[in-house]
Amino acid sequence: MSTRNNRLMRSIQHTPEATERTRVGLIGDPVAHSFSPRLQQAAFDALGIPAHYELWHTPASQLLERVRALCSKEYLGANVTIPHKQAVIHLLDKIDPLAERIGAVNTIVHRNDYLYGYNTDALGLLYALREQGLGTLQPDGQVSLKGHTALLLGAGGAARGAAFALASAGVERLIIFNRHLERAQLLAADVQQNYDGAVFSLNDANFLIPHSSSIIINATPVGMHEDISPLEPEVLARFDSDTFVYDMIYNPTQSYLLCQASIMGLRNANGLSMLLHQGALAFTHWTGEQAPLNIMRATLI
Ligand code: NAP
């Protein structure tokens, strides 16, 4: 398994002072749709950790103020979601090497008076895909996606974690499809630095070549608020029957993209499994404790 996949695993550290802090929450805009409070609160309660998980709706103009507040001694840290995963990096004291390479942070830990940034989306996605029966689990616990082509929709914070994870899992080729082509090109160039497979960037679906054994991953919010898809049904219909469609969106539980995939008989799953695994990894960063995965999973049913 590649060194980069190993680095994903090594980024977990312990936080012995975690139980002294009681406030943790989700920074983003929007946040009301999030299942993170129920997921994380169940885990804190199960381990008897007196922390409370909150929703912190934070427009871009208030991001600095919100992150600064985390330096107060009652804060354990935070999760970061749309659209702040890239912008928040510059507001933190220390960035984990993996998160730095990815260029996106979704977990902040308040430790020793410093704010540390981590990325758990990357490994969380790989665990989620494995749970859906994709790829193989190597003897060292790493996930391999050799033989697959990944079509990644989006090039924002979550997509950056996904792109690095998919490359580290050894996909044959990675196609990044994004509304703004420059952003896809930038991400492609970053991933290509340590990846032997081919990376393509596109913003026109007419140029999309459907490869067999494709994994299509939606890392855009398109479909969260309206019945629209980030990939036209006519384009999706061109893919082979062995294609798997994964939508990071989990609320609604079946996005328009997943409805279309089901109608076409394609295997598919929503983002609940990724939410679970990225959340479990974040929990370990905050507390130094192994996350009670089954208890957390039960909150999502
Ligand atoms: P982000 O950093 O703001 O990136 C958003 C991406 O979506 C960008 O690539 C953007 O394209 C694209 N996009 C936004 N609106 C669009 C539109 N109307 N049409 C086409 N493309 C559009 O957000 P993020 O943090 O990456 O989050 C993306 C999604 O993933 C959110 O729905 C989030 O909830 C979800 N997510 C789920 C999990 C999970 O655990 N299940 C984890 C992480 C994220 P441009 O670059 O062209 O602007």
Side-chain angles (χ1 to χ4, degrees):
M1 185 51 57
S2 71
T3 317
R4 299 175 74 230
N5 206 325
N6 286 330
R7 285 193 202 122
L8 292 177
M9 297 292 291
R10 281 206 306 271
S11 69
I12 299 293
Q13 293 178 3
H14 291 272
T15 56
E17 65 182 345
T19 52
E20 295 161 23
R21 309 192 190 280
T22 56
R23 293 186 72 185
V24 59
L26 178 63
I27 297 173
D29 181 13
V31 290
H33 66 281
S34 176
F35 290 179
S36 285
R38 63 163 100 151
L39 180 83
Q40 298 293 357
Q41 198 59 55
F44 287 123
D45 294 348
L47 271 65
I49 297 170
H52 183 64
Y53 194 98
E54 304 167 22
L55 285 178
W56 297 323
H57 176 248
T58 309
S61 59
Q62 292 168 21
L63 183 62
L64 175 62
E65 192 187 341
R66 168 55 65 195
V67 172
R68 273 200 187 139
L70 297 177
C71 297
S72 301
K73 68 175 187 322
E74 74 264 29
Y75 287 95
L76 188 55
N79 282 134
V80 183
T81 189
I82 184 172
H84 303 315
K85 289 180 184 184
Q86 292 175 262
V88 80
I89 285 198
H90 312 288
L91 308 179
L92 305 177
D93 299 306
K94 297 181 192 244
I95 307 298
D96 172 72
L98 171 68
E100 182 138 40
R101 243 182 350 271
I102 291 172
V105 158
N106 75 322
T107 302
I108 300 173
V109 180
H110 183 200
R111 184 194 302 138
N112 303 329
D113 290 334
Y114 292 105
L115 297 180
Y116 290 76
Y118 297 92
N119 187 300
T120 69
D121 279 341
L123 196 52
L125 174 68
L126 290 187
Y127 287 168
L129 293 179
R130 181 63 209 120
E131 208 168 273
Q132 303 303 327
L134 292 167
T136 52
L137 197 60
Q138 304 298 295
D140 59 2
Q142 309 293 312
V143 177
S144 168
L145 292 170
K146 283 197 171 29
H148 288 282
T149 291
L151 169 57
L152 181 60
L153 311 178
R160 291 194 72 89
F164 279 82
L166 293 162
S168 77
V171 293
E172 296 297 310
R173 63 183 70 74
L174 173 63
I175 303 165
I176 303 169
F177 181 78
N178 194 50
R179 178 175 59 177
H180 291 102
L181 182 61
E182 321 77 59
R183 210 169 176 195
Q185 289 170 329
L186 194 64
L187 177 53
D190 288 348
V191 171
Q192 193 75 82
Q193 283 179 24
N194 292 298
Y195 171 55
D196 294 334
V199 190
F200 303 91
S201 39
L202 287 177
N203 70 344
D204 184 344
N206 291 317
F207 293 103
L208 207 50
I209 298 169
H211 293 272
S212 59
S213 302
S214 279
I215 306 173
I216 300 175
I217 297 171
N218 179 31
T220 78
V222 179
M224 199 152 82
H225 305 294
E226 296 170 273
D227 272 349
I228 48 173
S229 173
L231 205 59
E232 293 299 323
E234 310 82 75
V235 179
L236 189 60
R238 291 180 5 218
F239 281 80
D240 286 0
S241 58
D242 65 354
T243 298
F244 190 97
V245 183
Y246 192 84
D247 198 333
M248 288 192 191
I249 293 173
Y250 57 81
N251 186 8
T253 49
Q254 199 177 34
S255 63
Y256 190 64
L257 172 66
L258 295 191
C259 283
Q260 294 299 319
S262 295
I263 290 166
M264 291 173 201
L266 304 179
R267 291 172 301 152
N268 63 82
N270 68 24
L272 278 179
S273 47
M274 179 175 173
L275 178 78
L276 172 70
H277 289 290
Q278 63 77 29
L281 294 163
F283 181 88
T284 300
H285 278 305
W286 293 321
T287 64
E289 302 286 346
Q290 193 164 355
L293 207 59
N294 288 337
I295 288 170
M296 295 171 90
R297 193 191 301 277
T299 68
L300 302 177
I301 295 168

